[in-house]
Amino acid sequence: PRSTLFPYTTLFRSGTRPDISYSIIKLARYASNPSPDYITAVKRVLRYLKATKDYSIIYSNNNTNISSYISGYCDADYAGDISTAKSTLGWIFYIAGGPISWKSKLQSIIAQSTTEAEYIAINSATKEAVFIKQLMTELDVYKQTKFPIYTDNNGALALAKNPIFHERTKHIAVKYHYIRQLIEEGTIDLVYINTKDQKSDGLTKPLDKTKFKEFLVQLGFI
């Protein structure tokens, strides 16, 4: 629908709900053998959805440059799963002012440090970035010179840009160093961002009320 407040701006809405992604992947792990606590948690999510049924992602084409600009954010919660000691990765990509692609997933291996967990998350995000860039290039709408992916971990950022192995990271599987190739080719630009501005934080762990509200604002819901 065209906005009545901004007659030269077209707004598009999507009812998809990335705000519950972490909750869904968490609950899905126990779906085959649900406990009473599991049922209570599912009902809590359903009550939340009922109370926020009007929430929607808004995309705007009010500015050609902004509407076609893509950026990504990736994060990881180190050893956040108590039962397995595995980390949860999360990434989200934005275009036209709203998220278009996101993921929240328990990592398949046990990371041995925060840097490693974040590095694995970046690797997952770069694969999606390559797909998005190829798609938009084929549609002839990819106009930017660099595809930024933001991370709030300096260790992972240094590891991605430094080809020299050191004792704490030399065990990391070679497949994760795909990131370096993309940086060297200029396909992506890995950029540091302050943790408070990390838009994928809510995809990696449960947030308190204040932080979750900030997450909703970042998604464009409120």
Side-chain angles (χ1 to χ4, degrees):
R2 184 172 295 277
S3 169
T4 55
L5 294 177
F6 306 99
Y8 301 106
T9 300
T10 302
L11 303 178
F12 302 92
R13 296 178 181 269
S14 168
T16 312
R17 300 294 298 268
D19 52 324
I20 62 170
S21 294
Y22 177 79
S23 298
I24 296 304
I25 68 157
K26 187 76 172 180
L27 291 170
R29 298 172 200 168
Y30 309 98
S32 61
N33 186 27
S35 65
D37 288 340
Y38 172 91
I39 301 300
T40 299
V42 170
K43 289 180 178 179
R44 184 176 182 183
V45 172
L46 292 175
R47 287 196 297 270
Y48 168 73
L49 289 175
K50 181 179 180 181
T52 59
K53 60 184 178 181
D54 294 329
Y55 284 9
S56 60
I57 300 172
I58 300 176
Y59 304 98
S60 171
N61 70 344
N62 63 318
N63 183 296
T64 303
N65 294 328
I66 294 177
S67 63
S68 62
Y69 187 79
I70 321 167
S71 59
Y73 300 79
C74 63
D75 197 14
D77 179 37
Y78 174 58
D81 188 70
I82 299 176
S83 59
T84 65
K86 291 182 178 179
S87 306
T88 301
L89 67 83
W91 47 254
I92 188 167
F93 289 88
Y94 284 76
I95 188 172
I100 58 166
S101 181
W102 54 85
K103 187 173 190 176
S104 179
K105 182 182 179 181
L106 194 68
Q107 293 181 355
S108 58
I109 66 172
I110 298 177
Q112 298 186 42
S113 66
T114 301
T115 293
E116 185 174 343
E118 296 274 359
Y119 196 62
I120 294 172
I122 294 170
N123 178 267
S124 177
T126 56
K127 294 176 182 178
E128 183 69 6
V130 169
F131 167 73
I132 294 174
K133 181 177 179 179
Q134 289 176 341
L135 176 61
M136 296 196 68
T137 299
E138 290 176 5
L139 296 174
D140 196 28
V141 292
Y142 187 79
K143 306 300 181 183
Q144 60 203 71
T145 56
K146 293 184 178 180
F147 193 136
I149 297 179
Y150 297 95
T151 176
D152 59 4
N153 187 277
N154 277 314
L157 185 63
L159 181 59
K161 295 187 175 184
N162 186 350
I164 301 176
F165 285 90
H166 51 78
E167 290 297 322
R168 290 180 296 174
T169 56
K170 66 180 181 180
H171 65 281
I172 297 177
V174 173
K175 67 177 181 179
Y176 295 116
H177 296 303
Y178 169 65
I179 305 166
R180 294 176 181 167
Q181 178 183 331
L182 296 178
I183 293 175
E184 291 173 0
E185 293 174 346
T187 301
I188 67 166
D189 183 26
L190 200 57
V191 184
Y192 175 78
I193 192 173
N194 193 288
T195 300
K196 66 181 180 63
D197 298 317
Q198 178 54 268
K199 296 183 180 182
S200 60
D201 196 36
L203 299 175
T204 64
K205 56 182 171 293
L207 304 176
D208 60 37
K209 186 176 181 179
T210 300
K211 289 185 177 180
F212 187 71
K213 186 173 181 179
E214 293 174 357
F215 179 51
L216 293 178
V217 172
Q218 291 170 336
L219 293 176
F221 286 153
I222 56 178

